[in-house]
Amino acid sequence: MTGAADGRGAERRPSPRGGPEEPELVLSPSENAAHNSAMRIAGARRGPTSTQKALASIVLGFELCIVALFGLTIFGMAVLEPRELGLFAGGGLALVILVALGGMRRGRFGIIVGWVVHVLMLLTAFILPMSLIVSVLFSALWVYCMIRGSRIDRDRAAWLAAQGDAG
């Protein structure tokens, strides 16, 4: 890296257009490891990286634990008859989440299945009313991650295109 540090850990490098120096982001080792792990899970090894897919994978990974607990709660409270239906419902939804996570590497398939997961999670409120709170929170997080992730991906593509034009 060239340029002087600005006191906050970011290096400054000359702008390719001759303007003021631009800060270059420097990640700590733990931030770099977390970023690389999320990108690997999202299938970033093939093709360009997608922040939207990385965020989707993180949200779905946490939801996998919650869905398993939904199934155990439905089973334990004997909400359905026979009780084992709660385990099958939780296991089935967990399987759909695993399909979505696996589909993140194949275009938009994982994102589409992720939307289906959230609809199914919201429908669990008909069986277990208290699950509505958790389902709404995760659905709101999902929507935020989808919007913000796509914006970051668009901005990155525009930035890379501008760097290609300048170089």
mmCIF file of all heavy atoms in Angstrom, residues 111-134:
data_model
loop_
_atom_site.group_PDB
_atom_site.id
_atom_site.type_symbol
_atom_site.label_atom_id
_atom_site.label_comp_id
_atom_site.label_asym_id
_atom_site.label_seq_id
_atom_site.Cartn_x
_atom_site.Cartn_y
_atom_site.Cartn_z
ATOM 1 N N ILE A 111 -31.889 -17.233 -3.372
ATOM 2 C CA ILE A 111 -32.618 -16.050 -2.909
ATOM 3 C C ILE A 111 -34.124 -16.290 -3.020
ATOM 4 O O ILE A 111 -34.883 -15.980 -2.096
ATOM 5 C CB ILE A 111 -32.203 -14.806 -3.721
ATOM 6 C CG1 ILE A 111 -30.706 -14.531 -3.602
ATOM 7 C CG2 ILE A 111 -33.043 -13.599 -3.321
ATOM 8 C CD1 ILE A 111 -30.242 -14.055 -2.262
ATOM 9 N N ILE A 112 -34.557 -16.876 -4.120
ATOM 10 C CA ILE A 112 -35.986 -17.155 -4.313
ATOM 11 C C ILE A 112 -36.483 -18.146 -3.268
ATOM 12 O O ILE A 112 -37.542 -17.945 -2.655
ATOM 13 C CB ILE A 112 -36.248 -17.671 -5.749
ATOM 14 C CG1 ILE A 112 -35.961 -16.553 -6.753
ATOM 15 C CG2 ILE A 112 -37.674 -18.178 -5.888
ATOM 16 C CD1 ILE A 112 -35.882 -17.012 -8.182
ATOM 17 N N VAL A 113 -35.728 -19.201 -3.022
ATOM 18 C CA VAL A 113 -36.121 -20.181 -2.000
ATOM 19 C C VAL A 113 -36.093 -19.514 -0.619
ATOM 20 O O VAL A 113 -36.930 -19.824 0.239
ATOM 21 C CB VAL A 113 -35.218 -21.432 -2.041
ATOM 22 C CG1 VAL A 113 -35.548 -22.398 -0.927
ATOM 23 C CG2 VAL A 113 -35.359 -22.127 -3.391
ATOM 24 N N GLY A 114 -35.196 -18.570 -0.404
ATOM 25 C CA GLY A 114 -35.155 -17.825 0.855
ATOM 26 C C GLY A 114 -36.436 -17.046 1.100
ATOM 27 O O GLY A 114 -36.942 -16.982 2.219
ATOM 28 N N TRP A 115 -36.996 -16.467 0.041
ATOM 29 C CA TRP A 115 -38.284 -15.777 0.180
ATOM 30 C C TRP A 115 -39.385 -16.771 0.559
ATOM 31 O O TRP A 115 -40.244 -16.475 1.394
ATOM 32 C CB TRP A 115 -38.652 -15.044 -1.112
ATOM 33 C CG TRP A 115 -37.876 -13.772 -1.312
ATOM 34 C CD1 TRP A 115 -36.830 -13.577 -2.167
ATOM 35 C CD2 TRP A 115 -38.068 -12.537 -0.627
ATOM 36 N NE1 TRP A 115 -36.374 -12.297 -2.050
ATOM 37 C CE2 TRP A 115 -37.117 -11.627 -1.122
ATOM 38 C CE3 TRP A 115 -38.955 -12.109 0.361
ATOM 39 C CZ2 TRP A 115 -37.030 -10.311 -0.667
ATOM 40 C CZ3 TRP A 115 -38.870 -10.794 0.809
ATOM 41 C CH2 TRP A 115 -37.912 -9.912 0.296
ATOM 42 N N VAL A 116 -39.335 -17.947 -0.037
ATOM 43 C CA VAL A 116 -40.327 -18.987 0.296
ATOM 44 C C VAL A 116 -40.189 -19.382 1.768
ATOM 45 O O VAL A 116 -41.192 -19.571 2.476
ATOM 46 C CB VAL A 116 -40.161 -20.215 -0.636
ATOM 47 C CG1 VAL A 116 -41.015 -21.381 -0.174
ATOM 48 C CG2 VAL A 116 -40.491 -19.834 -2.067
ATOM 49 N N VAL A 117 -38.957 -19.497 2.250
ATOM 50 C CA VAL A 117 -38.713 -19.839 3.654
ATOM 51 C C VAL A 117 -39.387 -18.822 4.569
ATOM 52 O O VAL A 117 -40.032 -19.186 5.556
ATOM 53 C CB VAL A 117 -37.192 -19.903 3.945
ATOM 54 C CG1 VAL A 117 -36.911 -19.880 5.435
ATOM 55 C CG2 VAL A 117 -36.585 -21.132 3.307
ATOM 56 N N HIS A 118 -39.280 -17.555 4.226
ATOM 57 C CA HIS A 118 -39.859 -16.531 5.088
ATOM 58 C C HIS A 118 -41.385 -16.554 5.060
ATOM 59 O O HIS A 118 -42.019 -16.304 6.086
ATOM 60 C CB HIS A 118 -39.284 -15.163 4.745
ATOM 61 C CG HIS A 118 -37.883 -15.050 5.215
ATOM 62 N ND1 HIS A 118 -36.825 -15.414 4.440
ATOM 63 C CD2 HIS A 118 -37.379 -14.694 6.408
ATOM 64 C CE1 HIS A 118 -35.722 -15.257 5.135
ATOM 65 N NE2 HIS A 118 -36.031 -14.837 6.340
ATOM 66 N N VAL A 119 -41.958 -16.859 3.944
ATOM 67 C CA VAL A 119 -43.422 -17.009 3.892
ATOM 68 C C VAL A 119 -43.838 -18.188 4.764
ATOM 69 O O VAL A 119 -44.791 -18.086 5.555
ATOM 70 C CB VAL A 119 -43.906 -17.195 2.431
ATOM 71 C CG1 VAL A 119 -45.356 -17.611 2.393
ATOM 72 C CG2 VAL A 119 -43.689 -15.912 1.636
ATOM 73 N N LEU A 120 -43.113 -19.301 4.655
ATOM 74 C CA LEU A 120 -43.434 -20.479 5.470
ATOM 75 C C LEU A 120 -43.238 -20.197 6.959
ATOM 76 O O LEU A 120 -44.027 -20.659 7.794
ATOM 77 C CB LEU A 120 -42.587 -21.678 5.035
ATOM 78 C CG LEU A 120 -42.874 -22.228 3.641
ATOM 79 C CD1 LEU A 120 -41.868 -23.309 3.271
ATOM 80 C CD2 LEU A 120 -44.295 -22.750 3.551
ATOM 81 N N MET A 121 -42.200 -19.440 7.290
ATOM 82 C CA MET A 121 -41.997 -19.094 8.702
ATOM 83 C C MET A 121 -43.150 -18.250 9.229
ATOM 84 O O MET A 121 -43.598 -18.438 10.357
ATOM 85 C CB MET A 121 -40.680 -18.348 8.886
ATOM 86 C CG MET A 121 -39.491 -19.263 8.986
ATOM 87 S SD MET A 121 -37.986 -18.420 9.463
ATOM 88 C CE MET A 121 -38.348 -17.936 11.131
ATOM 89 N N LEU A 122 -43.619 -17.320 8.417
ATOM 90 C CA LEU A 122 -44.750 -16.505 8.850
ATOM 91 C C LEU A 122 -46.012 -17.357 9.006
ATOM 92 O O LEU A 122 -46.833 -17.105 9.882
ATOM 93 C CB LEU A 122 -44.985 -15.362 7.861
ATOM 94 C CG LEU A 122 -43.922 -14.261 7.883
ATOM 95 C CD1 LEU A 122 -44.075 -13.340 6.690
ATOM 96 C CD2 LEU A 122 -43.992 -13.472 9.187
ATOM 97 N N LEU A 123 -46.149 -18.389 8.187
ATOM 98 C CA LEU A 123 -47.318 -19.268 8.281
ATOM 99 C C LEU A 123 -47.285 -20.158 9.519
ATOM 100 O O LEU A 123 -48.324 -20.664 9.941
ATOM 101 C CB LEU A 123 -47.437 -20.125 7.018
ATOM 102 C CG LEU A 123 -47.834 -19.365 5.743
ATOM 103 C CD1 LEU A 123 -47.818 -20.304 4.542
ATOM 104 C CD2 LEU A 123 -49.184 -18.696 5.901
ATOM 105 N N THR A 124 -46.100 -20.325 10.118
ATOM 106 C CA THR A 124 -46.039 -21.130 11.339
ATOM 107 C C THR A 124 -46.803 -20.464 12.485
ATOM 108 O O THR A 124 -47.133 -21.128 13.474
ATOM 109 C CB THR A 124 -44.590 -21.390 11.805
ATOM 110 O OG1 THR A 124 -43.957 -20.142 12.077
ATOM 111 C CG2 THR A 124 -43.809 -22.182 10.786
ATOM 112 N N ALA A 125 -47.110 -19.183 12.342
ATOM 113 C CA ALA A 125 -47.862 -18.486 13.385
ATOM 114 C C ALA A 125 -49.273 -19.047 13.530
ATOM 115 O O ALA A 125 -49.885 -18.892 14.584
ATOM 116 C CB ALA A 125 -47.918 -16.994 13.088
ATOM 117 N N PHE A 126 -49.788 -19.701 12.495
ATOM 118 C CA PHE A 126 -51.109 -20.333 12.621
ATOM 119 C C PHE A 126 -51.048 -21.550 13.545
ATOM 120 O O PHE A 126 -52.039 -21.909 14.162
ATOM 121 C CB PHE A 126 -51.652 -20.751 11.243
ATOM 122 C CG PHE A 126 -52.075 -19.579 10.408
ATOM 123 C CD1 PHE A 126 -51.348 -19.222 9.280
ATOM 124 C CD2 PHE A 126 -53.185 -18.834 10.753
ATOM 125 C CE1 PHE A 126 -51.729 -18.151 8.508
ATOM 126 C CE2 PHE A 126 -53.577 -17.746 9.985
ATOM 127 C CZ PHE A 126 -52.849 -17.391 8.858
ATOM 128 N N ILE A 127 -49.890 -22.163 13.633
ATOM 129 C CA ILE A 127 -49.707 -23.332 14.502
ATOM 130 C C ILE A 127 -49.215 -22.896 15.882
ATOM 131 O O ILE A 127 -49.701 -23.357 16.904
ATOM 132 C CB ILE A 127 -48.709 -24.322 13.872
ATOM 133 C CG1 ILE A 127 -49.213 -24.798 12.521
ATOM 134 C CG2 ILE A 127 -48.445 -25.497 14.796
ATOM 135 C CD1 ILE A 127 -48.182 -25.580 11.725
ATOM 136 N N LEU A 128 -48.228 -22.003 15.896
ATOM 137 C CA LEU A 128 -47.601 -21.534 17.131
ATOM 138 C C LEU A 128 -47.616 -19.999 17.112
ATOM 139 O O LEU A 128 -46.716 -19.371 16.555
ATOM 140 C CB LEU A 128 -46.171 -22.064 17.202
ATOM 141 C CG LEU A 128 -45.396 -21.862 18.479
ATOM 142 C CD1 LEU A 128 -46.024 -22.642 19.632
ATOM 143 C CD2 LEU A 128 -43.957 -22.315 18.279
ATOM 144 N N PRO A 129 -48.661 -19.370 17.682
ATOM 145 C CA PRO A 129 -48.830 -17.915 17.547
ATOM 146 C C PRO A 129 -47.618 -17.080 17.983
ATOM 147 O O PRO A 129 -47.330 -16.052 17.369
ATOM 148 C CB PRO A 129 -50.041 -17.615 18.430
ATOM 149 C CG PRO A 129 -50.815 -18.886 18.448
ATOM 150 C CD PRO A 129 -49.778 -19.977 18.404
ATOM 151 N N MET A 130 -46.904 -17.489 19.000
ATOM 152 C CA MET A 130 -45.752 -16.702 19.455
ATOM 153 C C MET A 130 -44.598 -16.699 18.445
ATOM 154 O O MET A 130 -43.706 -15.858 18.528
ATOM 155 C CB MET A 130 -45.256 -17.206 20.806
ATOM 156 C CG MET A 130 -46.226 -16.921 21.948
ATOM 157 S SD MET A 130 -46.689 -15.183 22.075
ATOM 158 C CE MET A 130 -45.159 -14.451 22.550
ATOM 159 N N SER A 131 -44.624 -17.617 17.512
ATOM 160 C CA SER A 131 -43.568 -17.625 16.491
ATOM 161 C C SER A 131 -43.697 -16.444 15.538
ATOM 162 O O SER A 131 -42.749 -16.139 14.820
ATOM 163 C CB SER A 131 -43.587 -18.940 15.711
ATOM 164 O OG SER A 131 -44.736 -19.007 14.886
ATOM 165 N N LEU A 132 -44.835 -15.782 15.556
ATOM 166 C CA LEU A 132 -45.029 -14.625 14.675
ATOM 167 C C LEU A 132 -44.011 -13.531 14.975
ATOM 168 O O LEU A 132 -43.486 -12.904 14.054
ATOM 169 C CB LEU A 132 -46.458 -14.078 14.809
ATOM 170 C CG LEU A 132 -46.791 -12.891 13.914
ATOM 171 C CD1 LEU A 132 -46.697 -13.311 12.444
ATOM 172 C CD2 LEU A 132 -48.160 -12.350 14.232
ATOM 173 N N ILE A 133 -43.706 -13.319 16.245
ATOM 174 C CA ILE A 133 -42.753 -12.266 16.624
ATOM 175 C C ILE A 133 -41.385 -12.547 16.003
ATOM 176 O O ILE A 133 -40.793 -11.682 15.342
ATOM 177 C CB ILE A 133 -42.641 -12.171 18.162
ATOM 178 C CG1 ILE A 133 -43.978 -11.754 18.755
ATOM 179 C CG2 ILE A 133 -41.539 -11.201 18.571
ATOM 180 C CD1 ILE A 133 -44.054 -11.907 20.257
ATOM 181 N N VAL A 134 -40.894 -13.749 16.182
ATOM 182 C CA VAL A 134 -39.573 -14.109 15.652
ATOM 183 C C VAL A 134 -39.605 -14.109 14.119
ATOM 184 O O VAL A 134 -38.665 -13.634 13.475
ATOM 185 C CB VAL A 134 -39.133 -15.482 16.193
ATOM 186 C CG1 VAL A 134 -37.821 -15.915 15.587
ATOM 187 C CG2 VAL A 134 -39.038 -15.447 17.701
#
